[in-house]
Amino acid sequence: MIIITGRVHPGETNASWVVHGIIKFLLSKDKVADALRKQCIFKVVPMINADGVTIGNTRCSFIGRDVNRLFGAPN
């Protein structure tokens, strides 16, 4: 299983383009993409911190928390 994530920090706009490119490639008819789809399960979360992106934060979520520092930690 391969997990691909993007936009943990809202200001990292380049991550959206990278994840978009990965998804586009994985869904293509390319022989390598076809082999990868047959051998792996992909879980893609293109935007982990959607609320922070929506309001224009550069690093934190809507409530001011750095999601990267709290990833997987209980609230």
Side-chain angles (χ1 to χ4, degrees):
M1 183 178 303
I2 298 174
I3 300 171
I4 299 168
T5 64
R7 298 297 289 268
V8 173
H9 296 131
E12 297 167 347
T13 56
N14 55 335
S16 289
W17 293 104
V18 172
V19 173
H20 179 263
I22 292 169
I23 292 169
K24 191 173 178 178
F25 170 73
L26 289 173
L27 296 174
S28 73
K29 295 180 180 181
D30 186 280
K31 291 179 182 180
V32 174
D34 184 53
L36 285 169
R37 289 191 308 265
K38 289 177 180 174
Q39 295 177 11
C40 303
I41 296 171
F42 290 89
K43 303 287 184 176
V44 181
V45 183
M47 192 176 298
I48 289 180
N49 193 353
D51 59 336
V53 171
T54 300
I55 64 168
N57 283 349
T58 57
R59 190 156 181 92
C60 299
S61 68
F62 183 73
I63 59 173
R65 290 194 176 154
D66 185 344
V67 178
N68 191 46
R69 301 290 180 250
L70 300 170
F71 196 76
N75 291 335

